[in-house]
Amino acid sequence: MAPGGVFCLLFTLVANNCKCVNLLSQPVESCIPHSIQAQVPVKIDPGYAVSQVPLGRCGRERLHLTSSDPHFTVNKDGAIVTAIVTTVTKKRSFWVWVSDGRGQTWRMEVQITPDPEQLHGYLPAPKAPWDLAHKRSKRRWSPLPFNIIEQDLPPFPKEMELVGSDSSVNYSVYYTIRGPGVTLTPKDLFSVDRNTGMLRVHYAVDREQYKQFVFEAQVFDKKTGKETDRPLDITVLVVDINDNAPTFSGPLEFHVAEQSNTGTEVGVVTATDRDQEGTLHTKIRFSLLTGNELFNIHPESGMITTRSRTLDREVQVAIPVIIEIRDMDGISSGLFSTGTATISLVDINDNPPTFRETVYKARIEENKVDVLVLRIPVDDKDEEKTKNWNAKFVITAGNVNGNFRVDTDPKTNEGLLYVVKPLDYEKGKVIMLTLSAQNEVPLVGSTGSWLSIPVELSVGDVDEGPEFVPPIKVIRVKENTVIGTVLGTYTAIDPETESSTGIKYYRVSDPGSWVSIAESTGELKVANIIDLESPLVTNAMYNITVKAVDLSSKSGVGTVTLLIEDANDNKPVIPDGVLVLCEEEGKMGSVTVHAHDVDRSPYSAPFHFQLPKDMQTKWRLGDAQNTSVVLEQAVDLPRGVQDVSIHITDLQGNGGIQVVTVRVCRCLGGECVAQRSSVSFGVWGVLAMLLALALLLLLCIFCVSACTTQGDKMYIEDSSGGMLLKSNTEAPGEEVKSANLLMVPTSGGMDTIDGSMKGAGLLQENANTSPGGLALLGQQTLTQQSMYRSSRQDFMTAQGQSSFYNSGHYGGGNYSDSLFYKQTHLSALNTWETNGLYLDQKLEHFGSESEERYADDVLRVYGYEGEGSAAGSVGCCSDLGDLDNLDFLDSLGSKFKTLAKICMDREERK
């Protein structure tokens, strides 16, 4: 390819096949400059604004702007914008064409140059001097686009333009084209002569489908098949012809209020044309073919306006109007379409309701209530079932006492006249009303006003019963008024005779029987005590219903309302119940006392609280409110129930002593809880500990003496004979302090097998004999019960002899004692009598206790005493467990271990 070779586009005019228009036949001064310059980036992205076409001198007419370079497009406002990605490495120019609606066309050259700061990165490397010496550089032209006419007439193909390249001077070349219209849809529209470069078009094309074509032309060496020049973009513009008539693009239904002012906007008719914008082919003009006497239409904008104020919906609801739209700015040769627009008239309330009669008459009996008296029809020309048509009736005169009400029938729009209060024939035989018919909205666009009509009502006479005057009589009375006091007189009158003669009076309703009424005179007297605080009184009012009966047995009813005035007949009282005063450590407890007085102000609160002198040593009063006071301890008080006297008076000083019951106790969650036994040592506890130490010392002396004395072993004779042992005797609890805990028989009547306990100074003996010669059991009693626990089992031998076995522990040591005695005439032990004796003693003990023993005789949890104690539980009801277990020896102190060691050494020596 010859370096620097270029395409050139040769324009030829084919007289037989082309229709040319001389755009400059009549020179007109251009409204745009001949050229403008702009600097752009080297790489321009789509949407980049290159420059602006100054259109200020081109008027307000619609302009059509096009660009000769497909890489750029021109908006309606004159902005030149990049259409596709474009690279500018050197100065470049193209044309912008501007056409107005009158067929005038101007062109402006746009010269763009790249940004020099960005250009360095895009410039090719410098060439060697010898390369530059053998090559000649020429300026490459960007050819202007050429045109074809849409829907061109046959015959085809038709020659368009000739394409040539400078490389054809040095090479034998051939030409090819590719792109839209050639190898892309629509295919085979264009072709090129391979040898001459003549472009041809092969069939007609529709501009509304394809506005332009941009395809690529290439030139090749016939011998080598290589390109001899760079490809060139060819732009073919399709010239529009007026082949499309305008069409309506929007709805043709409009609304306007009747009697609108002249020039009121009705709506805008919109239309479009598929031909090229900005040309006469798409310049549409609007006109009315009918309805010109009522409406106007703007020829360019299509706005419909009213022409007069004679639009009347009651004459014609909807008005059809025929509209014509024509292109070519309305010239007769332009294409056109017609359509019918419907203009609906919106109703306004310009017609008041009218009556069908000039006067209405009706008759109604007296004393009738909620009765339909009359139907009043009306007519209205406005649109039905709207606020302009719905009637609203108003009584403008004659309804002073409010005896009548008028409604509207929603279906028929008629007026309905009702009697809501009974009429009295004696007060008026004929009643004249004035009735006005209106609408729900005011009248507009009319010089008329609301119409009215007279209504004449005749009242029928009916024999009536007596009537109380007034219907409700109010009498003021103080409560506690003396019985027999006259409150007043309440009488009725016969409306026929206007007299009270012969009328008798009776009570119909008097819940408390507080008032009596004289049958002949209607005199009211107090019959019972009137109490304002009674539940029969509401808002200090008490109602009594009275009936009057005339000689014809006609009756009437009236009401007497007693307005009761309060009296100071009640004192402040404290409600029944026990108040709980919770003890608090470090400070005195307190409780709030509330009082109540059923009287009303000023015979009620605020109350005055005061303690009597005998109460002030133990109690004091704290913060006093309207109806309450805080009762506080003045000194420490024992737990239990206390009665406190408080003197309470109302605002007038009426009152007295009130007693409130207060329980002083320890609380949990605001409520008293049961007292727990104290775990602290008392005097008896200390004495018991001292006695235990003394007994421990005696036990040590005894053990030393026993270990130094040789004795024979003694075995208990087992005479049970395999019998089941009877065990129904329980050891007494800690509470039975005076009971003997261990029973041991005396020598009378039995043989003692093991008497090692005797003589040790630990037991006491008592012997008794029954009157029948029966030897009773001797008693052995250990008085320090808190240090001793014992159990006993009684049994009978096979030979009829009674025996028992005792076991227990004293202090830290255990003992066991088996006793056997002979008895010839001895029956079984009466253990029930023994248990009864213990129970009587315990009841006597609890009966002698004071109030402070509150809730002692209940089950309670004992304090945890730790682990490892051989003594077990100390509770009176605890399970004694296995008292014969000798594991306790492991827990004895060092002194006992020393004693045991001495005894064991002595046994070993033997």
Side-chain angles (χ1 to χ4, degrees), residues 578-585 587-591 618-619 631-644 660-668 670-675 851-854:
V578 178
L579 301 179
V580 177
L581 189 148
C582 295
E583 292 181 335
E584 300 181 25
E585 293 187 9
K587 62 179 180 178
M588 299 297 179
S590 64
V591 65
K618 297 182 180 180
W619 303 91
L631 179 63
E632 301 175 346
Q633 289 179 260
V635 295
D636 288 331
L637 298 173
R639 296 179 182 175
V641 177
Q642 305 280 341
D643 289 334
V644 183
V660 59
T661 302
V662 180
R663 181 182 295 280
V664 181
C665 63
R666 184 168 53 85
C667 296
L668 179 62
E671 295 183 0
C672 285
V673 296
Q675 294 181 346
E851 185 75 69
E852 287 76 6
R853 284 193 52 82
Y854 175 71

Short mmCIF file of all heavy atoms in Angstrom, two decimals, residues 578-585 587-591 618-619 631-644 660-668 670-675 851-854:
data_model
loop_
_atom_site.label_atom_id
_atom_site.label_comp_id
_atom_site.label_asym_id
_atom_site.label_seq_id
_atom_site.Cartn_x
_atom_site.Cartn_y
_atom_site.Cartn_z
N VAL A 578 -57.18 -5.59 111.24
CA VAL A 578 -55.95 -5.54 112.02
C VAL A 578 -54.85 -4.98 111.13
O VAL A 578 -54.61 -5.49 110.02
CB VAL A 578 -55.57 -6.94 112.52
CG1 VAL A 578 -54.26 -6.88 113.30
CG2 VAL A 578 -56.67 -7.51 113.39
N LEU A 579 -54.19 -3.92 111.62
CA LEU A 579 -53.08 -3.35 110.90
C LEU A 579 -51.79 -4.03 111.34
O LEU A 579 -51.60 -4.31 112.53
CB LEU A 579 -52.97 -1.84 111.15
CG LEU A 579 -54.21 -1.01 110.77
CD1 LEU A 579 -53.98 0.46 111.09
CD2 LEU A 579 -54.54 -1.19 109.30
N VAL A 580 -50.92 -4.30 110.42
CA VAL A 580 -49.66 -4.98 110.71
C VAL A 580 -48.54 -3.96 110.79
O VAL A 580 -48.32 -3.19 109.86
CB VAL A 580 -49.35 -6.03 109.63
CG1 VAL A 580 -48.00 -6.68 109.89
CG2 VAL A 580 -50.45 -7.08 109.58
N LEU A 581 -47.86 -3.94 111.95
CA LEU A 581 -46.70 -3.05 112.15
C LEU A 581 -45.46 -3.92 112.15
O LEU A 581 -45.29 -4.77 113.02
CB LEU A 581 -46.83 -2.28 113.47
CG LEU A 581 -45.80 -1.17 113.70
CD1 LEU A 581 -46.42 -0.05 114.50
CD2 LEU A 581 -44.57 -1.69 114.42
N CYS A 582 -44.63 -3.76 111.16
CA CYS A 582 -43.44 -4.59 111.00
C CYS A 582 -42.27 -4.00 111.77
O CYS A 582 -42.00 -2.79 111.68
CB CYS A 582 -43.07 -4.71 109.51
SG CYS A 582 -44.31 -5.58 108.55
N GLU A 583 -41.60 -4.86 112.53
CA GLU A 583 -40.42 -4.43 113.26
C GLU A 583 -39.28 -4.17 112.30
O GLU A 583 -39.10 -4.88 111.32
CB GLU A 583 -40.00 -5.51 114.26
CG GLU A 583 -40.99 -5.69 115.41
CD GLU A 583 -40.48 -6.76 116.38
OE1 GLU A 583 -39.71 -7.62 115.94
OE2 GLU A 583 -40.87 -6.72 117.57
N GLU A 584 -38.53 -3.12 112.59
CA GLU A 584 -37.38 -2.77 111.78
C GLU A 584 -36.20 -2.56 112.71
O GLU A 584 -36.32 -1.88 113.73
CB GLU A 584 -37.62 -1.50 110.96
CG GLU A 584 -38.78 -1.62 110.00
CD GLU A 584 -38.96 -0.35 109.19
OE1 GLU A 584 -37.97 0.38 109.01
OE2 GLU A 584 -40.09 -0.09 108.75
N GLU A 585 -35.06 -3.16 112.36
CA GLU A 585 -33.88 -3.04 113.20
C GLU A 585 -33.34 -1.62 113.13
O GLU A 585 -33.22 -1.04 112.06
CB GLU A 585 -32.80 -4.03 112.75
CG GLU A 585 -33.20 -5.48 112.96
CD GLU A 585 -32.04 -6.41 112.66
OE1 GLU A 585 -30.92 -5.89 112.47
OE2 GLU A 585 -32.26 -7.63 112.64
N LYS A 587 -34.67 1.14 114.17
CA LYS A 587 -35.63 2.24 114.25
C LYS A 587 -37.00 1.69 114.59
O LYS A 587 -37.26 0.50 114.48
CB LYS A 587 -35.67 3.01 112.93
CG LYS A 587 -36.11 2.19 111.75
CD LYS A 587 -36.15 3.07 110.50
CE LYS A 587 -36.60 2.28 109.28
NZ LYS A 587 -36.67 3.13 108.08
N MET A 588 -37.86 2.62 115.02
CA MET A 588 -39.20 2.24 115.43
C MET A 588 -40.07 1.98 114.19
O MET A 588 -39.95 2.65 113.18
CB MET A 588 -39.82 3.36 116.28
CG MET A 588 -39.04 3.65 117.56
SD MET A 588 -39.00 2.22 118.66
CE MET A 588 -38.02 2.85 120.01
N GLY A 589 -40.95 1.01 114.35
CA GLY A 589 -41.86 0.70 113.26
C GLY A 589 -43.01 1.69 113.19
O GLY A 589 -43.29 2.45 114.14
N SER A 590 -43.71 1.70 112.05
CA SER A 590 -44.84 2.60 111.86
C SER A 590 -45.84 1.97 110.92
O SER A 590 -45.51 1.06 110.16
CB SER A 590 -44.38 3.96 111.30
OG SER A 590 -43.82 3.79 110.01
N VAL A 591 -47.09 2.47 110.97
CA VAL A 591 -48.15 1.99 110.11
C VAL A 591 -49.10 3.15 109.84
O VAL A 591 -49.26 4.04 110.68
CB VAL A 591 -48.88 0.80 110.76
CG1 VAL A 591 -49.61 1.23 112.02
CG2 VAL A 591 -49.85 0.15 109.78
N LYS A 618 -46.59 5.09 124.68
CA LYS A 618 -46.18 3.99 123.80
C LYS A 618 -46.20 4.38 122.33
O LYS A 618 -45.47 3.80 121.53
CB LYS A 618 -47.11 2.79 124.01
CG LYS A 618 -47.06 2.19 125.39
CD LYS A 618 -47.98 0.98 125.47
CE LYS A 618 -47.97 0.35 126.85
NZ LYS A 618 -48.86 -0.83 126.92
N TRP A 619 -47.03 5.33 121.98
CA TRP A 619 -47.24 5.65 120.56
C TRP A 619 -47.13 7.14 120.33
O TRP A 619 -47.28 7.93 121.27
CB TRP A 619 -48.62 5.17 120.08
CG TRP A 619 -48.85 3.71 120.29
CD1 TRP A 619 -49.40 3.12 121.38
CD2 TRP A 619 -48.51 2.66 119.40
NE1 TRP A 619 -49.45 1.77 121.24
CE2 TRP A 619 -48.90 1.44 120.00
CE3 TRP A 619 -47.91 2.61 118.14
CZ2 TRP A 619 -48.73 0.23 119.42
CZ3 TRP A 619 -47.74 1.39 117.54
CH2 TRP A 619 -48.14 0.21 118.18
N LEU A 631 -49.05 6.15 112.38
CA LEU A 631 -48.94 5.75 113.78
C LEU A 631 -47.56 5.12 113.96
O LEU A 631 -47.23 4.12 113.30
CB LEU A 631 -50.05 4.76 114.14
CG LEU A 631 -50.05 4.22 115.57
CD1 LEU A 631 -50.27 5.36 116.56
CD2 LEU A 631 -51.13 3.14 115.72
N GLU A 632 -46.75 5.69 114.88
CA GLU A 632 -45.39 5.24 115.08
C GLU A 632 -45.20 4.75 116.51
O GLU A 632 -45.87 5.23 117.45
CB GLU A 632 -44.39 6.37 114.79
CG GLU A 632 -44.48 6.93 113.39
CD GLU A 632 -43.56 8.14 113.22
OE1 GLU A 632 -43.10 8.67 114.25
OE2 GLU A 632 -43.35 8.55 112.06
N GLN A 633 -44.26 3.81 116.71
CA GLN A 633 -43.88 3.37 118.04
C GLN A 633 -43.08 4.47 118.73
O GLN A 633 -42.18 5.06 118.14
CB GLN A 633 -43.02 2.11 117.97
CG GLN A 633 -43.75 0.85 117.55
CD GLN A 633 -42.79 -0.32 117.49
OE1 GLN A 633 -42.35 -0.67 116.41
NE2 GLN A 633 -42.48 -0.89 118.66
N ALA A 634 -43.43 4.72 120.01
CA ALA A 634 -42.62 5.65 120.81
C ALA A 634 -41.56 4.90 121.59
O ALA A 634 -40.51 5.47 121.91
CB ALA A 634 -43.52 6.46 121.75
N VAL A 635 -41.84 3.65 121.92
CA VAL A 635 -40.90 2.79 122.65
C VAL A 635 -40.96 1.41 122.02
O VAL A 635 -41.85 1.11 121.21
CB VAL A 635 -41.27 2.73 124.15
CG1 VAL A 635 -41.12 4.09 124.82
CG2 VAL A 635 -42.70 2.20 124.34
N ASP A 636 -39.98 0.55 122.43
CA ASP A 636 -40.01 -0.84 121.98
C ASP A 636 -41.19 -1.55 122.60
O ASP A 636 -41.42 -1.45 123.83
CB ASP A 636 -38.72 -1.56 122.37
CG ASP A 636 -37.55 -1.08 121.53
OD1 ASP A 636 -37.80 -0.69 120.38
OD2 ASP A 636 -36.40 -1.08 122.03
N LEU A 637 -41.94 -2.26 121.81
CA LEU A 637 -43.13 -2.95 122.26
C LEU A 637 -42.98 -4.44 122.02
O LEU A 637 -42.33 -4.86 121.06
CB LEU A 637 -44.37 -2.42 121.52
CG LEU A 637 -44.71 -0.94 121.72
CD1 LEU A 637 -45.84 -0.54 120.80
CD2 LEU A 637 -45.09 -0.67 123.17
N PRO A 638 -43.58 -5.25 122.93
CA PRO A 638 -43.51 -6.70 122.71
C PRO A 638 -44.33 -7.09 121.48
O PRO A 638 -45.28 -6.40 121.11
CB PRO A 638 -44.12 -7.27 124.00
CG PRO A 638 -45.01 -6.19 124.49
CD PRO A 638 -44.33 -4.90 124.15
N ARG A 639 -43.97 -8.21 120.93
CA ARG A 639 -44.72 -8.68 119.78
C ARG A 639 -46.09 -9.15 120.23
O ARG A 639 -46.25 -9.74 121.29
CB ARG A 639 -43.98 -9.83 119.09
CG ARG A 639 -42.65 -9.43 118.49
CD ARG A 639 -41.97 -10.61 117.85
NE ARG A 639 -40.65 -10.25 117.32
CZ ARG A 639 -39.80 -11.12 116.78
NH1 ARG A 639 -40.14 -12.40 116.72
NH2 ARG A 639 -38.64 -10.72 116.33
N GLY A 640 -47.05 -8.90 119.38
CA GLY A 640 -48.41 -9.31 119.68
C GLY A 640 -49.40 -8.25 119.25
O GLY A 640 -49.08 -7.30 118.53
N VAL A 641 -50.66 -8.41 119.66
CA VAL A 641 -51.75 -7.52 119.26
C VAL A 641 -51.87 -6.39 120.27
O VAL A 641 -51.89 -6.63 121.48
CB VAL A 641 -53.06 -8.30 119.14
CG1 VAL A 641 -54.21 -7.37 118.79
CG2 VAL A 641 -52.93 -9.40 118.09
N GLN A 642 -51.95 -5.16 119.73
CA GLN A 642 -52.10 -3.97 120.58
C GLN A 642 -53.34 -3.21 120.12
O GLN A 642 -53.61 -3.08 118.93
CB GLN A 642 -50.86 -3.06 120.42
CG GLN A 642 -49.53 -3.73 120.70
CD GLN A 642 -49.26 -3.83 122.19
OE1 GLN A 642 -49.88 -3.11 122.98
NE2 GLN A 642 -48.36 -4.73 122.57
N ASP A 643 -54.13 -2.69 121.07
CA ASP A 643 -55.28 -1.83 120.80
C ASP A 643 -54.87 -0.39 121.07
O ASP A 643 -54.46 -0.05 122.20
CB ASP A 643 -56.47 -2.21 121.66
CG ASP A 643 -57.08 -3.54 121.21
OD1 ASP A 643 -56.92 -3.86 120.02
OD2 ASP A 643 -57.68 -4.23 122.05
N VAL A 644 -54.97 0.47 120.04
CA VAL A 644 -54.54 1.86 120.14
C VAL A 644 -55.76 2.74 119.95
O VAL A 644 -56.50 2.60 118.96
CB VAL A 644 -53.47 2.19 119.09
CG1 VAL A 644 -52.99 3.61 119.27
CG2 VAL A 644 -52.31 1.22 119.19
N VAL A 660 -58.00 1.27 116.95
CA VAL A 660 -57.40 0.53 115.85
C VAL A 660 -56.57 -0.61 116.43
O VAL A 660 -55.85 -0.43 117.42
CB VAL A 660 -56.54 1.46 114.97
CG1 VAL A 660 -55.43 2.11 115.75
CG2 VAL A 660 -55.96 0.67 113.79
N THR A 661 -56.70 -1.78 115.86
CA THR A 661 -55.97 -2.97 116.31
C THR A 661 -54.70 -3.12 115.48
O THR A 661 -54.76 -3.16 114.25
CB THR A 661 -56.84 -4.23 116.17
OG1 THR A 661 -58.03 -4.04 116.93
CG2 THR A 661 -56.10 -5.45 116.68
N VAL A 662 -53.56 -3.16 116.20
CA VAL A 662 -52.25 -3.23 115.54
C VAL A 662 -51.54 -4.50 116.01
O VAL A 662 -51.47 -4.76 117.22
CB VAL A 662 -51.40 -1.99 115.85
CG1 VAL A 662 -50.05 -2.10 115.15
CG2 VAL A 662 -52.13 -0.73 115.43
N ARG A 663 -51.04 -5.29 115.10
CA ARG A 663 -50.24 -6.46 115.45
C ARG A 663 -48.78 -6.13 115.20
O ARG A 663 -48.39 -5.80 114.08
CB ARG A 663 -50.64 -7.67 114.61
CG ARG A 663 -49.82 -8.93 114.98
CD ARG A 663 -50.18 -10.12 114.10
NE ARG A 663 -51.55 -10.54 114.31
CZ ARG A 663 -51.98 -11.29 115.33
NH1 ARG A 663 -51.10 -11.67 116.24
NH2 ARG A 663 -53.23 -11.64 115.46
N VAL A 664 -47.97 -6.19 116.26
CA VAL A 664 -46.54 -5.94 116.16
C VAL A 664 -45.86 -7.28 115.94
O VAL A 664 -46.01 -8.21 116.75
CB VAL A 664 -46.01 -5.26 117.43
CG1 VAL A 664 -44.52 -4.98 117.29
CG2 VAL A 664 -46.78 -3.97 117.70
N CYS A 665 -45.13 -7.41 114.88
CA CYS A 665 -44.51 -8.69 114.58
C CYS A 665 -43.37 -8.50 113.60
O CYS A 665 -43.16 -7.41 113.07
CB CYS A 665 -45.55 -9.65 113.98
SG CYS A 665 -46.23 -9.07 112.41
N ARG A 666 -42.62 -9.59 113.44
CA ARG A 666 -41.58 -9.61 112.42
C ARG A 666 -42.23 -10.01 111.09
O ARG A 666 -43.03 -10.93 111.06
CB ARG A 666 -40.50 -10.61 112.80
CG ARG A 666 -39.30 -10.64 111.85
CD ARG A 666 -38.17 -11.43 112.47
NE ARG A 666 -38.64 -12.75 112.87
CZ ARG A 666 -38.70 -13.80 112.05
NH1 ARG A 666 -38.35 -13.65 110.80
NH2 ARG A 666 -39.12 -14.97 112.48
N CYS A 667 -41.89 -9.30 110.02
CA CYS A 667 -42.62 -9.44 108.75
C CYS A 667 -41.73 -10.06 107.68
O CYS A 667 -40.51 -9.94 107.70
CB CYS A 667 -43.13 -8.09 108.26
SG CYS A 667 -44.34 -7.35 109.37
N LEU A 668 -42.42 -10.68 106.76
CA LEU A 668 -41.81 -11.17 105.53
C LEU A 668 -42.76 -10.84 104.39
O LEU A 668 -43.86 -11.37 104.33
CB LEU A 668 -41.55 -12.68 105.60
CG LEU A 668 -40.92 -13.31 104.33
CD1 LEU A 668 -39.54 -12.70 104.10
CD2 LEU A 668 -40.84 -14.81 104.47
N GLY A 670 -44.30 -8.00 104.09
CA GLY A 670 -45.40 -7.20 104.62
C GLY A 670 -46.39 -7.99 105.44
O GLY A 670 -47.40 -7.44 105.87
N GLU A 671 -46.13 -9.28 105.72
CA GLU A 671 -47.04 -10.10 106.50
C GLU A 671 -46.27 -10.75 107.64
O GLU A 671 -45.07 -11.05 107.53
CB GLU A 671 -47.69 -11.19 105.63
CG GLU A 671 -48.58 -10.64 104.54
CD GLU A 671 -49.24 -11.75 103.76
OE1 GLU A 671 -48.97 -12.92 104.10
OE2 GLU A 671 -50.03 -11.45 102.85
N CYS A 672 -46.99 -10.96 108.76
CA CYS A 672 -46.37 -11.57 109.94
C CYS A 672 -45.98 -13.02 109.62
O CYS A 672 -46.71 -13.73 108.92
CB CYS A 672 -47.33 -11.54 111.12
SG CYS A 672 -47.49 -9.90 111.86
N VAL A 673 -44.84 -13.44 110.18
CA VAL A 673 -44.42 -14.82 110.06
C VAL A 673 -44.32 -15.42 111.45
O VAL A 673 -44.19 -14.71 112.45
CB VAL A 673 -43.06 -14.93 109.34
CG1 VAL A 673 -43.18 -14.43 107.93
CG2 VAL A 673 -41.99 -14.14 110.09
N ALA A 674 -44.37 -16.77 111.57
CA ALA A 674 -44.32 -17.44 112.86
C ALA A 674 -42.97 -17.22 113.52
O ALA A 674 -41.93 -17.17 112.87
CB ALA A 674 -44.55 -18.94 112.68
N GLN A 675 -42.98 -17.09 114.88
CA GLN A 675 -41.74 -16.90 115.63
C GLN A 675 -40.91 -18.17 115.61
O GLN A 675 -41.45 -19.27 115.65
CB GLN A 675 -42.05 -16.51 117.07
CG GLN A 675 -42.73 -15.15 117.20
CD GLN A 675 -43.00 -14.82 118.65
OE1 GLN A 675 -42.92 -15.70 119.48
NE2 GLN A 675 -43.31 -13.59 118.92
N GLU A 851 -49.20 -14.53 125.78
CA GLU A 851 -49.41 -14.24 124.37
C GLU A 851 -48.12 -14.36 123.55
O GLU A 851 -48.15 -14.58 122.35
CB GLU A 851 -49.96 -12.82 124.24
CG GLU A 851 -50.36 -12.42 122.81
CD GLU A 851 -51.64 -13.06 122.38
OE1 GLU A 851 -52.67 -12.74 122.89
OE2 GLU A 851 -51.66 -13.89 121.55
N GLU A 852 -46.99 -14.18 124.25
CA GLU A 852 -45.72 -14.17 123.51
C GLU A 852 -45.40 -15.52 122.88
O GLU A 852 -44.49 -15.64 122.09
CB GLU A 852 -44.56 -13.75 124.43
CG GLU A 852 -44.57 -12.25 124.78
CD GLU A 852 -45.62 -11.91 125.82
OE1 GLU A 852 -46.26 -12.84 126.35
OE2 GLU A 852 -45.82 -10.71 126.08
N ARG A 853 -46.09 -16.61 123.30
CA ARG A 853 -45.82 -17.93 122.74
C ARG A 853 -46.59 -18.13 121.43
O ARG A 853 -47.02 -19.23 121.14
CB ARG A 853 -46.18 -19.02 123.73
CG ARG A 853 -45.16 -19.16 124.84
CD ARG A 853 -45.39 -20.44 125.61
NE ARG A 853 -45.46 -21.57 124.70
CZ ARG A 853 -44.42 -22.21 124.20
NH1 ARG A 853 -43.21 -21.80 124.47
NH2 ARG A 853 -44.58 -23.25 123.42
N TYR A 854 -46.77 -17.05 120.66
CA TYR A 854 -47.55 -17.12 119.40
C TYR A 854 -46.89 -18.10 118.42
O TYR A 854 -45.71 -17.97 118.12
CB TYR A 854 -47.65 -15.73 118.78
CG TYR A 854 -48.31 -15.71 117.44
CD1 TYR A 854 -49.68 -15.93 117.33
CD2 TYR A 854 -47.56 -15.49 116.29
CE1 TYR A 854 -50.29 -15.92 116.11
CE2 TYR A 854 -48.17 -15.49 115.06
CZ TYR A 854 -49.54 -15.70 114.98
OH TYR A 854 -50.14 -15.68 113.75
#
